[in-house]
Amino acid sequence: MPVYNRETLKDRADWVAFDDYEFLYLDPRGDAAPIDVFIPGSDSPRQAVLILGGGVIARSELGLQKLERTGWIEVPASGVHLDSTGATPPGDQVQILRMAGTWEGTPHIGIFWAWPETPLEIHYHDFDEYWFIINGHTEGETDGKKWQLQPGDLIATARGYEHGMPNIGEHLMGVAFEPALKDGERKGHLHREEHGDPVPSRELIAEQV
């Protein structure tokens, strides 16, 4: 479970699919943040934006689209203009996650929540999984190793490694990014008692960055 932030991502492991990400805020009041932003095309092969809160009007070569919380779009090479005017009630703030990298196919991108009463159980996947921590501080675990997680972190978990957040410290909100399934890969959380022993896909250097 390598843990990165935007600055340390330049030293990422070669299998990690992301090379950049950032959180953006649009405030309809205009006194704390802009109400619109242009996301230019990226040097990365793929780029996407996910709406974490509020809503925007997205304008690009693909047309006009309204995006609300949990909605996301691929950013075309010519970029996309995001405007909160008319899409978010006055006084509310839009929160956006921009992601750039090298994934293939159509991924599953979703927001998740966890509480001390409802922790994320230890599980594994048939694919590499990524978490972006939005709010909350907690302890994460991969194959018995503990990690301290905080807002702004990107957690990369390689295929076949058991991981989870069994000891949630406080209410936590994050984004889970799961790449498109390949032939023979199973979706969702897998558990050794039901699905068999996990087979790690690669050797990891256990270093928190």
Short mmCIF file of all heavy atoms in Angstrom, two decimals, residues 123-153:
data_model
loop_
_atom_site.label_atom_id
_atom_site.label_comp_id
_atom_site.label_asym_id
_atom_site.label_seq_id
_atom_site.Cartn_x
_atom_site.Cartn_y
_atom_site.Cartn_z
N HIS A 123 -9.72 -7.25 2.64
CA HIS A 123 -10.13 -7.92 1.41
C HIS A 123 -9.01 -7.77 0.39
O HIS A 123 -8.00 -7.12 0.63
CB HIS A 123 -11.43 -7.29 0.87
CG HIS A 123 -11.29 -5.84 0.53
ND1 HIS A 123 -11.33 -4.83 1.48
CD2 HIS A 123 -11.09 -5.22 -0.66
CE1 HIS A 123 -11.19 -3.66 0.90
NE2 HIS A 123 -11.03 -3.87 -0.40
N TYR A 124 -9.20 -8.37 -0.78
CA TYR A 124 -8.25 -8.19 -1.88
C TYR A 124 -9.02 -8.11 -3.19
O TYR A 124 -10.23 -8.29 -3.24
CB TYR A 124 -7.20 -9.31 -1.90
CG TYR A 124 -7.71 -10.70 -2.22
CD1 TYR A 124 -7.67 -11.20 -3.53
CD2 TYR A 124 -8.21 -11.54 -1.22
CE1 TYR A 124 -8.12 -12.47 -3.83
CE2 TYR A 124 -8.66 -12.82 -1.52
CZ TYR A 124 -8.62 -13.29 -2.83
OH TYR A 124 -9.07 -14.55 -3.13
N HIS A 125 -8.29 -7.82 -4.27
CA HIS A 125 -8.91 -7.67 -5.59
C HIS A 125 -8.11 -8.41 -6.65
O HIS A 125 -6.93 -8.72 -6.46
CB HIS A 125 -8.97 -6.19 -5.99
CG HIS A 125 -9.79 -5.33 -5.09
ND1 HIS A 125 -11.16 -5.39 -5.04
CD2 HIS A 125 -9.43 -4.37 -4.20
CE1 HIS A 125 -11.61 -4.50 -4.16
NE2 HIS A 125 -10.58 -3.88 -3.62
N ASP A 126 -8.76 -8.63 -7.78
CA ASP A 126 -8.10 -9.16 -8.97
C ASP A 126 -7.54 -8.04 -9.84
O ASP A 126 -7.21 -8.27 -11.01
CB ASP A 126 -9.07 -10.00 -9.80
CG ASP A 126 -9.25 -11.41 -9.24
OD1 ASP A 126 -8.48 -11.80 -8.34
OD2 ASP A 126 -10.17 -12.11 -9.71
N PHE A 127 -7.46 -6.84 -9.30
CA PHE A 127 -6.98 -5.68 -10.05
C PHE A 127 -6.30 -4.72 -9.07
O PHE A 127 -6.49 -4.82 -7.87
CB PHE A 127 -8.14 -4.97 -10.76
CG PHE A 127 -9.35 -4.78 -9.88
CD1 PHE A 127 -9.43 -3.72 -8.98
CD2 PHE A 127 -10.42 -5.67 -9.93
CE1 PHE A 127 -10.54 -3.55 -8.16
CE2 PHE A 127 -11.53 -5.52 -9.11
CZ PHE A 127 -11.59 -4.45 -8.23
N ASP A 128 -5.50 -3.81 -9.60
CA ASP A 128 -4.92 -2.76 -8.77
C ASP A 128 -6.03 -1.78 -8.40
O ASP A 128 -6.87 -1.43 -9.25
CB ASP A 128 -3.82 -2.01 -9.53
CG ASP A 128 -2.66 -2.91 -9.93
OD1 ASP A 128 -2.44 -3.94 -9.27
OD2 ASP A 128 -1.96 -2.56 -10.90
N GLU A 129 -6.03 -1.32 -7.16
CA GLU A 129 -7.06 -0.39 -6.70
C GLU A 129 -6.41 0.86 -6.12
O GLU A 129 -5.31 0.80 -5.55
CB GLU A 129 -7.94 -1.03 -5.63
CG GLU A 129 -9.08 -0.12 -5.17
CD GLU A 129 -9.87 -0.68 -4.01
OE1 GLU A 129 -9.25 -1.27 -3.09
OE2 GLU A 129 -11.10 -0.53 -4.01
N TYR A 130 -7.10 1.99 -6.26
CA TYR A 130 -6.58 3.27 -5.77
C TYR A 130 -7.64 3.97 -4.92
O TYR A 130 -8.81 3.98 -5.28
CB TYR A 130 -6.20 4.17 -6.96
CG TYR A 130 -5.18 3.53 -7.87
CD1 TYR A 130 -5.59 2.73 -8.94
CD2 TYR A 130 -3.83 3.69 -7.65
CE1 TYR A 130 -4.67 2.11 -9.77
CE2 TYR A 130 -2.89 3.08 -8.48
CZ TYR A 130 -3.31 2.29 -9.53
OH TYR A 130 -2.40 1.68 -10.34
N TRP A 131 -7.19 4.53 -3.80
CA TRP A 131 -8.06 5.35 -2.95
C TRP A 131 -7.51 6.77 -2.90
O TRP A 131 -6.30 6.97 -2.69
CB TRP A 131 -8.10 4.82 -1.52
CG TRP A 131 -8.75 3.50 -1.33
CD1 TRP A 131 -9.67 2.89 -2.13
CD2 TRP A 131 -8.54 2.60 -0.23
NE1 TRP A 131 -10.05 1.68 -1.62
CE2 TRP A 131 -9.38 1.48 -0.44
CE3 TRP A 131 -7.75 2.64 0.92
CZ2 TRP A 131 -9.41 0.40 0.44
CZ3 TRP A 131 -7.79 1.58 1.80
CH2 TRP A 131 -8.62 0.47 1.56
N PHE A 132 -8.37 7.74 -3.08
CA PHE A 132 -8.04 9.15 -2.84
C PHE A 132 -8.77 9.54 -1.56
O PHE A 132 -10.00 9.46 -1.50
CB PHE A 132 -8.49 10.04 -3.99
CG PHE A 132 -7.82 9.75 -5.30
CD1 PHE A 132 -8.31 8.76 -6.16
CD2 PHE A 132 -6.70 10.48 -5.69
CE1 PHE A 132 -7.71 8.50 -7.38
CE2 PHE A 132 -6.09 10.23 -6.92
CZ PHE A 132 -6.59 9.23 -7.76
N ILE A 133 -8.06 9.97 -0.53
CA ILE A 133 -8.68 10.34 0.73
C ILE A 133 -9.13 11.79 0.65
O ILE A 133 -8.33 12.69 0.40
CB ILE A 133 -7.73 10.14 1.92
CG1 ILE A 133 -7.23 8.69 1.95
CG2 ILE A 133 -8.44 10.49 3.22
CD1 ILE A 133 -8.33 7.65 2.07
N ILE A 134 -10.44 12.02 0.86
CA ILE A 134 -11.01 13.36 0.77
C ILE A 134 -11.08 14.01 2.15
O ILE A 134 -10.57 15.11 2.36
CB ILE A 134 -12.43 13.32 0.15
CG1 ILE A 134 -12.43 12.48 -1.13
CG2 ILE A 134 -12.94 14.73 -0.10
CD1 ILE A 134 -11.46 12.94 -2.17
N ASN A 135 -11.72 13.33 3.09
CA ASN A 135 -11.87 13.83 4.46
C ASN A 135 -11.59 12.70 5.45
O ASN A 135 -11.90 11.54 5.18
CB ASN A 135 -13.29 14.35 4.71
CG ASN A 135 -13.65 15.53 3.83
OD1 ASN A 135 -12.88 16.47 3.71
ND2 ASN A 135 -14.82 15.48 3.20
N GLY A 136 -11.03 13.08 6.59
CA GLY A 136 -10.83 12.11 7.66
C GLY A 136 -9.40 11.60 7.76
O GLY A 136 -8.64 11.62 6.80
N HIS A 137 -9.05 11.19 8.97
CA HIS A 137 -7.75 10.59 9.26
C HIS A 137 -8.00 9.20 9.82
O HIS A 137 -8.89 9.00 10.64
CB HIS A 137 -6.98 11.42 10.30
CG HIS A 137 -6.67 12.81 9.86
ND1 HIS A 137 -7.64 13.80 9.80
CD2 HIS A 137 -5.51 13.39 9.45
CE1 HIS A 137 -7.08 14.94 9.37
NE2 HIS A 137 -5.79 14.71 9.16
N THR A 138 -7.21 8.24 9.37
CA THR A 138 -7.42 6.89 9.87
C THR A 138 -6.19 6.04 9.61
O THR A 138 -5.21 6.48 8.99
CB THR A 138 -8.65 6.24 9.21
OG1 THR A 138 -9.03 5.08 9.93
CG2 THR A 138 -8.36 5.87 7.76
N GLU A 139 -6.27 4.81 10.07
CA GLU A 139 -5.20 3.84 9.85
C GLU A 139 -5.63 2.88 8.75
O GLU A 139 -6.75 2.38 8.74
CB GLU A 139 -4.95 3.07 11.14
CG GLU A 139 -3.86 2.02 11.06
CD GLU A 139 -3.71 1.28 12.38
OE1 GLU A 139 -4.47 0.32 12.61
OE2 GLU A 139 -2.84 1.69 13.19
N GLY A 140 -4.75 2.63 7.80
CA GLY A 140 -4.99 1.64 6.77
C GLY A 140 -4.06 0.46 6.97
O GLY A 140 -3.07 0.55 7.71
N GLU A 141 -4.37 -0.64 6.30
CA GLU A 141 -3.58 -1.85 6.50
C GLU A 141 -3.43 -2.59 5.17
O GLU A 141 -4.38 -2.73 4.41
CB GLU A 141 -4.25 -2.75 7.53
CG GLU A 141 -3.50 -4.04 7.83
CD GLU A 141 -4.17 -4.86 8.90
OE1 GLU A 141 -4.81 -4.27 9.80
OE2 GLU A 141 -4.05 -6.10 8.84
N THR A 142 -2.21 -3.05 4.89
CA THR A 142 -1.94 -3.93 3.76
C THR A 142 -1.04 -5.06 4.22
O THR A 142 0.07 -4.82 4.69
CB THR A 142 -1.25 -3.18 2.60
OG1 THR A 142 -2.12 -2.18 2.09
CG2 THR A 142 -0.91 -4.14 1.46
N ASP A 143 -1.52 -6.30 4.10
CA ASP A 143 -0.77 -7.49 4.52
C ASP A 143 -0.15 -7.31 5.90
O ASP A 143 1.02 -7.65 6.13
CB ASP A 143 0.30 -7.82 3.48
CG ASP A 143 -0.28 -8.61 2.31
OD1 ASP A 143 -1.52 -8.62 2.18
OD2 ASP A 143 0.49 -9.19 1.55
N GLY A 144 -0.93 -6.73 6.82
CA GLY A 144 -0.50 -6.58 8.20
C GLY A 144 0.31 -5.34 8.49
O GLY A 144 0.56 -5.02 9.66
N LYS A 145 0.73 -4.59 7.45
CA LYS A 145 1.49 -3.36 7.68
C LYS A 145 0.52 -2.20 7.86
O LYS A 145 -0.45 -2.07 7.10
CB LYS A 145 2.44 -3.08 6.52
CG LYS A 145 3.28 -1.82 6.73
CD LYS A 145 4.31 -1.65 5.65
CE LYS A 145 5.11 -0.35 5.86
NZ LYS A 145 5.81 -0.33 7.15
N LYS A 146 0.78 -1.34 8.85
CA LYS A 146 -0.11 -0.21 9.15
C LYS A 146 0.37 1.05 8.44
O LYS A 146 1.58 1.30 8.32
CB LYS A 146 -0.14 0.04 10.66
CG LYS A 146 -0.37 -1.20 11.52
CD LYS A 146 -1.75 -1.79 11.32
CE LYS A 146 -1.96 -2.96 12.28
NZ LYS A 146 -3.30 -3.59 12.14
N TRP A 147 -0.60 1.85 8.02
CA TRP A 147 -0.31 3.12 7.35
C TRP A 147 -1.24 4.19 7.94
O TRP A 147 -2.42 3.94 8.16
CB TRP A 147 -0.57 3.02 5.85
CG TRP A 147 0.16 1.91 5.17
CD1 TRP A 147 -0.24 0.60 5.10
CD2 TRP A 147 1.38 2.00 4.48
NE1 TRP A 147 0.67 -0.13 4.40
CE2 TRP A 147 1.69 0.70 3.99
CE3 TRP A 147 2.27 3.04 4.19
CZ2 TRP A 147 2.83 0.41 3.26
CZ3 TRP A 147 3.41 2.75 3.45
CH2 TRP A 147 3.68 1.47 2.99
N GLN A 148 -0.72 5.38 8.16
CA GLN A 148 -1.53 6.50 8.61
C GLN A 148 -1.98 7.30 7.39
O GLN A 148 -1.15 7.77 6.60
CB GLN A 148 -0.75 7.38 9.59
CG GLN A 148 -0.39 6.68 10.89
CD GLN A 148 -1.62 6.13 11.62
OE1 GLN A 148 -2.63 6.82 11.77
NE2 GLN A 148 -1.54 4.87 12.06
N LEU A 149 -3.28 7.44 7.23
CA LEU A 149 -3.85 8.08 6.05
C LEU A 149 -4.51 9.40 6.43
O LEU A 149 -5.08 9.53 7.51
CB LEU A 149 -4.89 7.15 5.42
CG LEU A 149 -4.42 5.72 5.14
CD1 LEU A 149 -5.56 4.89 4.56
CD2 LEU A 149 -3.21 5.71 4.23
N GLN A 150 -4.43 10.37 5.52
CA GLN A 150 -4.98 11.70 5.79
C GLN A 150 -5.50 12.31 4.50
O GLN A 150 -5.22 11.80 3.40
CB GLN A 150 -3.91 12.60 6.40
CG GLN A 150 -2.72 12.82 5.49
CD GLN A 150 -1.63 13.66 6.15
OE1 GLN A 150 -1.79 14.12 7.27
NE2 GLN A 150 -0.52 13.84 5.47
N PRO A 151 -6.28 13.40 4.60
CA PRO A 151 -6.82 14.03 3.40
C PRO A 151 -5.72 14.41 2.41
O PRO A 151 -4.66 14.90 2.79
CB PRO A 151 -7.53 15.28 3.94
CG PRO A 151 -7.93 14.89 5.33
CD PRO A 151 -6.79 14.04 5.83
N GLY A 152 -5.98 14.15 1.14
CA GLY A 152 -5.01 14.45 0.08
C GLY A 152 -4.15 13.27 -0.31
O GLY A 152 -3.44 13.33 -1.33
N ASP A 153 -4.18 12.19 0.47
CA ASP A 153 -3.38 11.01 0.16
C ASP A 153 -3.96 10.23 -1.01
O ASP A 153 -5.18 10.15 -1.18
CB ASP A 153 -3.29 10.08 1.36
CG ASP A 153 -2.31 10.56 2.42
OD1 ASP A 153 -1.51 11.46 2.11
OD2 ASP A 153 -2.34 10.03 3.54
#
